[in-house]
Amino acid sequence: MIRRQKKKRKLNADINVVPYIDVMMVLLVIFMITAPMLTQGVSVDLPQAASDPVNDQDQEPVVVTVDKDGAYYINIGGDDTTQVSQEEVSERVEKILNETPNQLLLVRGDKNVSYEKVIGLMALLQQAGAASVGLVTE
């Protein structure tokens, strides 16, 4: 009678990471595709400048844009592609500042727009009650 000895199998302590790598690659592709779509609004060429980023706050800043033709746009209610007049900008900013006095206001000015238009917009925002106005650069 021959007795067979049972061989003890060694336990495999390695983790199979291939499925995790597959999931990571899929997520990476999804983020690479959707990230450019998140940038909305009017396309402007921002001037280059060395500056510190704005501190993140609980509320989104109000961004007023001046495009290369000198037209004004404001990002209230998710719609920042509709052109507005100077009077509308002033009225809307005044309403916002009455509700939230410490609201951050930013100006996005195309680098090809005249300096006078950007300064005029900043003066308009300060007349509406803005204590300070920031400039958006790349």
Side-chain angles (χ1 to χ4, degrees):
M1 198 154 114
I2 300 177
R3 256 184 158 182
R4 285 190 171 171
Q5 292 182 356
K6 289 186 179 180
K7 292 184 179 179
K8 285 190 175 183
R9 289 181 114 188
K10 288 187 176 180
L11 292 177
N12 187 359
D14 293 337
I15 297 174
N16 188 2
V17 295
V18 173
Y20 299 116
I21 293 172
D22 291 344
V23 170
M24 182 190 66
M25 295 302 279
V26 169
L27 289 174
L28 179 65
V29 169
I30 290 171
F31 284 120
M32 288 173 58
I33 291 172
T34 58
M37 293 178 196
L38 296 178
T39 305
Q40 300 175 7
V42 180
S43 177
V44 293
D45 282 334
L46 294 174
Q48 300 284 334
S51 62
D52 294 330
V54 177
N55 293 336
D56 291 335
Q57 295 181 349
D58 293 338
Q59 53 186 305
E60 286 287 319
V62 173
V63 180
V64 184
T65 305
V66 181
D67 69 0
K68 63 182 176 183
D69 300 323
Y72 297 122
Y73 302 87
I74 189 167
N75 74 337
I76 298 175
D79 181 25
D80 56 354
T81 58
T82 305
Q83 184 175 345
V84 294
S85 66
Q86 286 183 342
E87 294 80 22
E88 286 180 281
V89 170
S90 180
E91 289 173 8
R92 291 181 182 185
V93 168
E94 195 170 336
K95 286 179 185 176
I96 291 170
L97 291 174
N98 285 338
E99 292 176 12
T100 54
N102 295 330
Q103 178 67 44
L104 179 62
L105 295 172
L106 299 176
V107 173
R108 288 179 68 220
D110 193 289
K111 68 180 179 182
N112 299 319
V113 74
S114 71
Y115 185 66
E116 181 181 11
K117 278 285 194 182
V118 175
I119 295 301
L121 176 60
M122 292 177 71
L124 182 70
L125 293 175
Q126 287 184 339
Q127 288 173 357
S132 66
V133 177
L135 292 173
V136 178
T137 59
E138 281 186 13

